Amino acid sequence: MKNLISSSLIIALLAGSGVVLAGEHQAGINHAAMQGMEHNASAAQAHKAEGVVNSVDLRNGKVNMTHGPVESLGWPGMTMDFAVKDKAILKGINPGQKVAFEVVKEGPGKFYVNRITPLK
Ligand SMILES: [Cu+2]
């Protein structure tokens, strides 16, 4: 207990000098940033779904699909527009095609398709 008190006293003194704790503060910020990244990684889980392509907007990176239920997202089947991050995944995807795709939740109410492959 005495050690604890004296070491916290030393820390208080060092804090007054503003040298050592500045470094610790940096470490704290980096750690917070790392945790944020882990958080994003887990939020970036891909949700598998299947649907039929209605239209492809290659220029704007959008695809409209009528998809079946996406259980992992709690979605019923519906027709909707999806954004894509990488427009290249839309090449070779055409209206009328049955596709398997993966949806990534980017934020509240924000989703994008990161994979889309034609089904036979
Ligand atoms: Cu939907």
Side-chain angles (χ1 to χ4, degrees):
M1 218 25 176
K2 265 185 189 167
N3 279 346
L4 220 132
I5 289 164
S6 59
S7 62
S8 56
L9 203 84
I10 288 164
I11 287 167
L13 288 169
L14 287 171
S17 75
V19 178
V20 171
L21 281 204
E24 276 182 29
H25 194 65
Q26 282 277 337
I29 286 168
N30 288 341
H31 189 67
M34 275 163 59
Q35 279 188 325
M37 276 160 66
E38 281 166 28
H39 209 79
N40 286 342
S42 64
Q45 186 201 336
H47 302 271
K48 290 186 199 300
E50 290 185 10
V52 175
V53 176
N54 299 313
S55 61
V56 178
D57 185 346
L58 204 59
R59 181 189 292 249
N60 295 309
K62 281 194 180 139
V63 56
N64 183 282
M65 291 189 278
T66 300
H67 65 78
V70 187
E71 269 176 43
S72 54
L73 281 169
W75 285 2
M78 68 183 110
T79 298
M80 64 188 282
D81 274 327
F82 284 97
V84 301
K85 280 273 168 72
D86 179 9
K87 292 173 188 174
I89 68 169
L90 293 178
K91 281 181 185 162
I93 301 298
N94 298 300
Q97 252 174 353
K98 219 180 158 206
V99 292
F101 63 98
E102 286 179 8
V103 186
V104 173
K105 184 171 185 175
E106 199 173 14
K110 278 193 81 181
F111 300 90
Y112 68 92
V113 167
N114 74 330
R115 271 188 75 163
I116 181 164
T117 48
L119 289 172
K120 286 198 173 169

